[in-house]
Amino acid sequence: MRATGASIARAAALLRSGGVVAFPTETVYGLGALAFDAAAVARVFEIKGRPEFDPLIVHVLDDAMLAGIASEIDPRARLLIDRFWPGGLTLVLPKHAAVPGLVTAGLPSVAVRCPAHPVARALLAAAGAPIAAPSANPFGALSPTRAEHVEAGLGRSVDLILDGGRSTLGLESTIVALDPHPQLLRPGAVPVEAIEAEIGALSRVAEGPVRAPGGLPVHYAPRTPLRIVDPEGVGLEERGRAGALLFHRNREGYAATRVLSASGDLREAAAAFFDALHSLDALGLERIDAEPPPPHGLGLAMIDRLTRAAARR
Ligand code: TXA
Ligand code: MG
């Protein structure tokens, strides 16, 4: 349903009565329930087919909502909040006792993000409470950057899907934990370099199912087998029944191609990334050849997602 004042009010009313609503954010679409409503949060896990050891991100409108979710904001967290919120950064902070254990999978910490998307903000304001939301895709599948992706993946099990157009950043948030020292749990919409410019070096954690299950080895995967490859090395005879996800230059001979940014711009490429994968995946191709983007900034986040997509079986 197109996001309007009326549909946002209806979505907020559904949330307040225990409903589950999909909504746009600038990173990807989220599948939300009120964070303090454990029964509604349980439905989110059920709809996504998500294991309960994989905690959710809680979305807040402002500092007042943050205060109800995190028990402590250390000075480095404050620096990052001032610099990057609202936006594509998620912080892992000590959890407030009131947050249901289901939201955090029993961890003493909670992941929090303050989205910039006007529809997400209007929904938070209308609901008047924090919203726990994973990406609105079946567990392990490609993340949704359009309402149509949510519809195709989760369809009628969701009470309402707010359509706010295509997500402008197009990659999930960057996740940073600060305790016991600053760590990158997932590269994403905010380039790591920008975060390190504020608080110094982040250690790269070998992500495990509990620390950051976006870190599960197989994740963000299309149904079509995908490999990461330099298309220059792929012979013409090998291209015919495959599709290619290309960073900036098109190639001949593939059954279908998607060029992420003709000018080689990483932000434009990130915004088109999941959209391009969804559309290639819908073509029933034998394989997708993905050309790796350059390994810095948002390129790192895309390489991370491609590596997990390629790990599928
Ligand atoms: O951009 C995004 O982050 C989107 C939008 C909807 O906000 N959400 C999203 O959520 O990508 P999800 O559930 O697909 O990914 C959340 C990641 C998971 O890898 C989860 O393990 C990690 O955050 N996470 C959540 N709570 C955590 C915690 N307390 N400690 C470490 N990792 C946590
Ligand atoms: Mg996800």
Side-chain angles (χ1 to χ4, degrees):
M1 172 180 305
R2 201 164 66 82
T4 60
S7 60
I8 290 169
R10 185 158 157 227
L14 281 166
L15 287 174
R16 284 195 305 265
S17 59
V20 172
V21 166
F23 62 98
T25 85
E26 71 277 24
T27 57
V28 301
Y29 274 68
L31 182 67
L34 291 192
F36 294 118
D37 184 341
V41 170
R43 259 191 79 211
V44 170
F45 280 93
E46 197 177 277
I47 292 171
K48 262 192 79 106
R50 179 176 177 123
E52 289 176 11
F53 59 73
D54 193 354
L56 307 184
I57 293 175
V58 178
H59 297 71
V60 299
L61 183 63
D62 52 23
D63 271 355
M65 272 191 201
L66 174 63
I69 294 296
S71 62
E72 195 191 310
I73 318 281
D74 96 20
R76 289 160 308 185
R78 179 44 65 187
L79 258 175
L80 295 178
I81 288 171
D82 291 344
R83 171 75 177 79
F84 295 108
W85 281 12
L89 174 70
T90 294
L91 291 172
V92 174
L93 300 170
K95 158 190 176 307
H96 194 291
V99 179
L102 182 58
V103 171
T104 64
L107 294 173
S109 60
V110 61
V112 197
R113 173 161 113 77
C114 175
H117 196 291
V119 173
R121 299 190 65 76
L123 183 64
L124 282 163
I131 298 174
S135 51
N137 53 310
F139 182 69
L142 291 174
S143 288
T145 51
R146 294 178 183 275
E148 292 84 349
H149 299 155
V150 182
E151 181 71 44
L154 302 174
R156 256 165 297 172
S157 45
V158 183
D159 295 322
L160 192 151
I161 301 172
L162 284 174
D163 184 349
R166 189 169 94 164
S167 295
T168 52
L169 298 179
L171 286 176
E172 302 85 350
S173 60
T174 303
I175 306 180
V176 169
L178 295 161
D179 186 37
H181 55 268
Q183 301 156 61
L184 176 71
L185 298 186
R186 178 176 74 182
V190 174
V192 182
E193 294 89 334
I195 296 166
E196 294 189 320
E198 296 293 325
I199 60 164
L202 297 175
S203 63
R204 268 65 165 173
V205 182
E207 297 167 285
V210 174
R211 263 323 269 198
L216 287 170
V218 182
H219 216 87
Y220 310 110
R223 288 178 304 265
T224 313
L226 178 144
R227 64 175 186 179
I228 301 173
V229 67
D230 176 358
E232 292 310 312
V234 179
L236 270 181
E237 69 292 348
E238 269 189 273
R239 296 187 183 182
R241 287 157 71 178
L245 181 76
L246 301 163
F247 175 58
H248 71 284
R249 193 157 64 75
N250 208 354
R251 305 301 203 294
E252 300 293 318
Y254 278 104
T257 59
R258 297 289 182 275
V259 177
L260 294 179
S261 169
S263 62
D265 177 64
L266 282 167
R267 289 178 63 162
E268 187 183 20
F273 180 75
F274 278 119
D275 212 30
L277 278 171
H278 275 285
S279 74
L280 285 174
D281 199 23
L283 299 177
L285 300 162
E286 210 160 77
R287 180 183 83 238
I288 297 171
D289 284 351
E291 175 184 34
H296 56 82
L298 297 175
L300 280 177
M302 286 184 269
I303 291 170
D304 171 79
R305 305 305 186 269
L306 288 174
T307 305
R308 294 179 208 289
R312 171 187 173 276
R313 276 172 289 279

